[in-house]
Amino acid sequence: MRMPQRKRKDDWDDVFESFDADMAEMRARMDELLERMISGKVSEARDPLVYGISMRVRPDGEPLIQEFGNAGRAELSEAELPVREPLTDIREDANKVTVIMELPGVDKEDIKVTAEDRYLDLEVYSPNKRYTKHLELPCDVLPDSAKANYKNGVLEVVMRRPASKKRRKTIRVD
């Protein structure tokens, strides 16, 4: 269910333009999940169903809303529900991007992380847990600079940002 479009009143309307629509869509997903649970279409013997959102403001002032969990996605089949999406946080500063993911109950050897320009992919396949995440980063990174650390169920990946391509030169006026 989409909220009707409205005309922009001032500069602040632009920042939260889709917020109402996003919240209405998430509520519809949660209502559908609750209906499935009440009707018995979701077995309690499966792994727990998890769904949530993480909200933050990017350095440019734009809001970023990220979903996480293994429930609420229409494209997932029943066989894929045990695959979990880890809770993820992204921290960005002038020189680096840090991605932090919660991966409780897995061994370091079962974690596979790949980085490419503006994306980070995670796959964890262990006998007890399965996690997957395809993450679009807020900026380009240098994949060769990536360093990962896994301790106490938390994975931290730090990648350097490429040097700014903007060059400034004073031009002499004749």
Side-chain angles (χ1 to χ4, degrees), residues 98-112:
T98 304
V99 177
I100 301 168
M101 296 184 188
E102 292 184 12
L103 302 169
V106 300
D107 293 326
K108 164 171 84 169
E109 295 77 26
D110 296 326
I111 301 172
K112 178 183 174 190

Side-chain angles (χ1 to χ4, degrees), residues 103-130:
L103 302 169
V106 300
D107 293 326
K108 164 171 84 169
E109 295 77 26
D110 296 326
I111 301 172
K112 178 183 174 190
V113 182
T114 55
E116 156 187 1
D117 298 330
R118 198 176 186 120
Y119 296 96
L120 186 75
D121 290 313
L122 168 84
E123 290 181 7
V124 175
Y125 292 102
S126 72
N128 301 325
K129 307 274 182 167
R130 290 178 55 191

Side-chain angles (χ1 to χ4, degrees), residues 47-111:
D47 284 347
L49 295 174
V50 177
Y51 179 79
I53 60 169
S54 169
M55 296 189 306
R56 68 183 185 94
V57 178
R58 291 183 175 179
D60 62 3
E62 290 292 315
L64 174 65
I65 300 174
Q66 291 180 300
E67 297 177 77
F68 65 90
N70 63 356
R73 290 183 154 193
E75 68 268 13
L76 292 179
S77 70
E78 290 291 319
E80 293 176 311
L81 280 178
V83 176
R84 299 174 184 187
E85 189 172 324
L87 180 60
T88 304
D89 190 21
I90 302 171
R91 296 183 184 156
E92 176 184 9
D93 66 27
N95 301 320
K96 67 183 178 196
V97 174
T98 304
V99 177
I100 301 168
M101 296 184 188
E102 292 184 12
L103 302 169
V106 300
D107 293 326
K108 164 171 84 169
E109 295 77 26
D110 296 326
I111 301 172

Side-chain angles (χ1 to χ4, degrees), residues 11 15 19 69 79 101 104 107 142 165:
D11 290 336
V15 174
F19 186 76
M101 296 184 188
D107 293 326
L142 298 170
K165 294 178 183 176

